[in-house]
Amino acid sequence: MMSLGSEKRQAIAKFMSKVRGSRVTFDPDRIVMGGGATGANELVIFCLADPGDAFLVPSPYYPAFVRDLGWRTGVKIIPVPCESSNNFKITKQTLEAAYEKAQNDGVNVKGLLITNPSNPLGTTIDRATLKSLVTFVNDNNIHLVCDEIYAATVFNSPEYVSVSEVIQEMGNDKVNKDLIHVVYSLSKDMGLPGFRVGIVYSYNDAVVSCARKMSSFGLVSSQTQHMLAAMLSDEDFVSKFLAESSKRLAKRHAHFTEGLKKVGISCLKGNAGLFFWMDLRHLLNEPSFEAEMALWRWIVYDIKLNVSPGSSFHCPEPGWFRVCFANMEDATVDIALQRIHSFVGKKEVVEDLEDDQSAWRNSNLSLSFNKSKRYHDDAASGFMSPHHMMSPHSPMPHSPLVRARN
């Protein structure tokens, strides 16, 4: 008789293949389940690295990676800055420069972590870039961890390409599969964040064995496993759900970004995720992160919309903002656009931003901004009251281990 865990792993393996266009198959025995993507990311890092080791992470990147990858593992993040000049694509040159600098600084780099589709960019990584990343980790004998939790949120071309498909195409003679690991979750693709179902899929037998032992500390309940196995095995439901989700995301993304274009606001061309990357550099009084924070506070207090400034994602260029577009009703989006149109149309905006920036320089808030680049990822697009706001320049709370020692 098939065990419940085995049944669920088979259902997840089939679902992962379906999401990736059925161009690659997944071995259920290589699937390890844990407590959400947060737990899955930490789990794989525990298996791959020791305290003091480091992972390269292209920026802008999800701010809570600081917590997920490092709080309990003691592993460091080395940002690899990507720029708007090439639409924030990861290049081999920037990777090699970051890797070489880390080595010169005496830092042991154990791997590279990427998100595909990207949070916060809302874009997918193309096949050629993925192949270059696989080649890079192969050449340097370091690990590649691919966070693919938004894999089924692709709503426009180009189509999604998983690292699993790429290594299958490259072949065993060109890829050391022991270096490749995929993190997945059902929280975004199936809208099930509260169920805390994270997945580690590793091509490395030792990592699978270690992760399975460690997953005992973040098990998925048998009731949840049973429900998910039944749901994911219903192929008709899954197909209709994914198709409808993609259709709605495409419609909402187009409506929101087209509305912004009418007032001269452009966005990075996106095709996936639940957010888009908005370019407000032309509204900055000067190209600085202080000016970005002044503009962010204006958006929060004057428009009363909560968006996330690029600095909270370690973006190397000021003036970019992440906007979540999938968590509102259509009427709410229209009101949000009306507020933005009104805001941009104000003649006094530039003067007010100049005054606000001057106040920012003279306040103690600038000290906390300069001292810390670790931000809490609580910001999401929507209506909010200023007194309920958490400022993105507020550093993350100390880890539980730090508090325990004090």
Side-chain angles (χ1 to χ4, degrees), residues 322-349:
R322 189 191 74 169
V323 180
C324 295
F325 65 85
N327 60 342
M328 295 178 282
E329 296 179 352
D330 290 341
T332 307
V333 174
D334 290 336
I335 296 174
L337 286 171
Q338 290 173 11
R339 292 185 178 186
I340 294 172
H341 288 188
S342 176
F343 169 74
V344 174
K346 287 183 178 179
K347 294 181 180 180
E348 67 271 17
V349 164

Side-chain angles (χ1 to χ4, degrees), residues 112-366:
L112 165 68
L113 184 144
I114 61 173
T115 57
N116 183 32
S118 167
N119 177 7
L121 300 178
T123 58
T124 52
I125 302 176
D126 62 86
R127 192 182 304 272
T129 299
L130 283 171
K131 287 184 177 180
S132 72
L133 299 181
V134 172
T135 301
F136 172 78
V137 298
N138 255 21
D139 291 345
N140 293 286
N141 196 34
I142 61 176
H143 294 273
L144 176 61
V145 178
C146 303
D147 186 333
E148 298 186 346
I149 69 170
Y150 291 98
T153 65
V154 178
F155 53 82
N156 212 333
S157 61
E159 65 179 0
Y160 180 69
V161 180
S162 169
V163 70
S164 298
E165 182 180 349
V166 166
I167 63 173
Q168 179 176 278
E169 291 177 353
M170 295 177 71
N172 294 334
D173 57 329
K174 294 184 179 179
V175 180
N176 178 3
K177 289 187 176 181
D178 282 347
L179 300 175
I180 310 299
H181 321 273
V182 176
V183 171
Y184 190 51
S185 168
L186 300 181
S187 62
K188 314 300 182 187
D189 288 352
M190 295 300 294
L192 298 171
F195 286 86
R196 307 303 302 154
V197 180
I199 297 154
V200 173
Y201 187 92
S202 177
Y203 292 88
N204 187 312
D205 292 340
V207 171
V208 172
S209 176
C210 177
R212 206 172 300 288
K213 294 180 177 70
M214 293 187 64
S215 67
S216 297
F217 299 98
L219 293 173
V220 179
S221 72
S222 58
Q223 293 89 344
T224 300
Q225 290 187 46
H226 179 77
M227 186 276 291
L228 291 176
M231 181 181 70
L232 297 181
S233 297
D234 187 341
E235 295 189 16
D236 185 55
F237 164 76
V238 170
S239 296
K240 290 180 179 178
F241 181 92
L242 295 179
E244 183 65 22
S245 175
S246 177
K247 178 181 176 181
R248 292 187 184 188
L249 288 173
K251 181 179 179 181
R252 172 62 63 77
H253 182 275
H255 178 59
F256 213 143
T257 55
E258 288 298 325
L260 293 174
K261 282 183 182 179
K262 293 179 180 179
V263 288
I265 296 176
S266 62
C267 302
L268 183 69
K269 184 178 180 181
N271 67 317
L274 312 177
F275 29 74
F276 54 81
W277 197 232
M278 179 171 63
D279 184 2
L280 297 184
R281 288 176 294 176
H282 62 292
L283 293 181
L284 298 181
N285 182 50
E286 63 180 30
S288 70
F289 289 108
E290 287 184 346
E292 176 183 277
M293 294 307 298
L295 177 59
W296 174 81
R297 291 205 314 279
W298 249 88
I299 294 172
V300 169
Y301 285 104
D302 193 62
I303 309 181
K304 294 183 173 60
L305 294 178
N306 195 2
V307 299
S308 304
S311 53
S312 65
F313 300 92
H314 295 259
C315 182
E317 302 174 16
W320 293 88
F321 292 77
R322 189 191 74 169
V323 180
C324 295
F325 65 85
N327 60 342
M328 295 178 282
E329 296 179 352
D330 290 341
T332 307
V333 174
D334 290 336
I335 296 174
L337 286 171
Q338 290 173 11
R339 292 185 178 186
I340 294 172
H341 288 188
S342 176
F343 169 74
V344 174
K346 287 183 178 179
K347 294 181 180 180
E348 67 271 17
V349 164
V350 174
E351 294 180 358
D352 287 337
L353 284 174
E354 289 176 350
D355 293 341
D356 193 50
Q357 186 177 329
S358 176
W360 170 263
R361 286 199 182 99
N362 295 326
S363 73
N364 290 330
L365 291 176
S366 61

Side-chain angles (χ1 to χ4, degrees), residues 19-38:
V19 164
R20 290 153 182 80
S22 299
R23 294 181 294 271
V24 61
T25 58
F26 294 89
D27 181 355
D29 291 335
R30 293 194 173 279
I31 289 175
V32 180
M33 295 170 286
T38 294

